[in-house]
Amino acid sequence: MTLHTFQDGTRFLASSSSLLNEHGIELQVGHDFDEYREILAEARPGHTLGAPLNPDLQPMTPANSFWIAGRDGNGTIMHTQAMRCVDLHGGYLSDYLRRRFVDYPPSGMDLDMNRSRYRAGPGAQRIKGQVCYHGEFWMGGTPGQYRGTGLSYILGRYAFLLGLQMYDPDYIFGFMERTVVFKGFPARHGYMHMEPSALRWYIKNNENPLEGYLVYVGRDDIRFLLDMPLSDILDMAA
């Protein structure tokens, strides 16, 4: 499907800037993931940069990855997220994740990799081509300061737009814990497809697994989302 009304996100950027300005938020985009790690250390001292976006474990260059950081009017970091292109070597995402799901663990946990597993859903078995992984989405602030304002809608779609402009992926995917999914985060963020129980992580000496959903959007999905009037998005957020 081709959406002839899509204008490379121009309308989205113009309409979303007013909401960002209203909250005094400035967004910074970068490619140096050592700098990003310093930003995380400042914003979230107890958080460990996840393996899929760790420059010690992955080749992170401007040609394949970027990060976003948001600061409020006082210069305090209130938002982070990042994206990296993934080489499927001509195959499908399902085959790639069967081999490499251990490279996408939740950070800061002592996992039992022998018991943990990935199960491919029908969508992952169709996804191929140029693919990007999206993660590290975090939004801070005091209770009620940013949540419920529609900012999560804007920030998630902004990453999709940058990914589209920089790398033109066929798909963008990520993982979310079941509890986060049940709170409606994929819908707020803009992920139009989900596969439940894709990942099951076992923490050592714990019999209760963490369930991860695979979430993803296609190129046409992103264009559809970005072409929606912002007023429609914020009405749905209310």
Side-chain angles (χ1 to χ4, degrees):
M1 178 178 66
T2 301
L3 297 175
H4 297 290
T5 58
F6 180 67
Q7 299 295 323
D8 297 325
T10 302
R11 181 166 70 175
F12 168 78
L13 289 174
S15 57
S16 62
S17 62
S18 60
L19 183 61
L20 294 172
N21 291 334
E22 177 184 334
H23 291 276
I25 294 171
E26 292 189 2
L27 298 181
Q28 176 189 2
V29 179
H31 300 280
D32 183 340
F33 275 76
D34 288 319
E35 180 183 0
Y36 180 66
R37 186 154 40 192
E38 293 175 1
I39 289 172
L40 287 179
E42 176 184 344
R44 307 171 64 188
H47 176 73
T48 302
L49 177 59
L53 297 164
N54 188 330
D56 295 335
L57 303 174
Q58 312 291 344
M60 312 292 281
T61 71
N64 74 355
S65 55
F66 68 89
W67 52 260
I68 300 170
R71 294 180 182 269
D72 64 18
N74 297 318
T76 302
I77 300 165
M78 50 70 60
H79 168 67
T80 62
Q81 59 180 317
M83 190 175 294
R84 175 176 65 89
C85 295
V86 174
D87 187 357
L88 300 184
H89 300 285
Y92 292 92
L93 181 62
S94 56
D95 297 327
Y96 169 84
L97 289 175
R98 285 189 186 101
R99 300 189 306 269
R100 303 287 297 274
F101 80 93
V102 294
D103 296 339
Y104 294 82
S107 64
M109 295 184 180
D110 189 12
L111 298 171
D112 184 341
M113 292 300 189
N114 291 324
R115 290 193 296 159
S116 301
R117 59 101 177 126
Y118 165 74
R119 183 178 69 178
Q125 296 178 61
R126 293 190 295 266
I127 292 175
K128 63 185 306 185
Q130 175 78 339
V131 173
C132 290
Y133 167 78
H134 179 219
E136 292 285 326
F137 190 97
W138 169 81
M139 190 166 65
T142 58
Q145 184 178 8
Y146 299 125
R147 288 171 175 80
T149 64
L151 278 173
S152 60
Y153 286 73
I154 298 301
L155 295 169
R157 285 159 175 77
Y158 184 62
F160 289 168
L161 173 61
L162 290 186
L164 203 65
Q165 291 177 334
M166 291 183 187
Y167 312 122
D168 191 28
D170 297 286
Y171 295 92
I172 295 173
F173 78 97
F175 296 106
M176 293 186 188
E177 289 185 27
R178 181 176 60 180
T179 54
V180 175
V181 170
F182 285 2
K183 292 177 181 178
F185 187 75
R188 292 199 302 274
H189 193 106
Y191 279 108
M192 295 178 63
H193 310 278
M194 299 184 299
E195 295 192 344
S197 210
L199 286 173
R200 182 160 288 189
W201 296 109
Y202 282 90
I203 301 171
K204 289 182 179 178
N205 302 317
N206 191 325
E207 295 304 315
N208 299 314
L210 295 175
E211 182 182 344
Y213 278 53
L214 173 73
V215 293
Y216 66 93
V217 288
R219 182 189 293 117
D220 287 344
D221 295 327
I222 297 170
R223 289 174 171 167
F224 171 78
L225 290 168
L226 294 175
D227 203 51
M228 291 179 65
L230 183 59
S231 58
D232 291 354
I233 297 173
L234 296 182
D235 286 344
M236 290 187 291

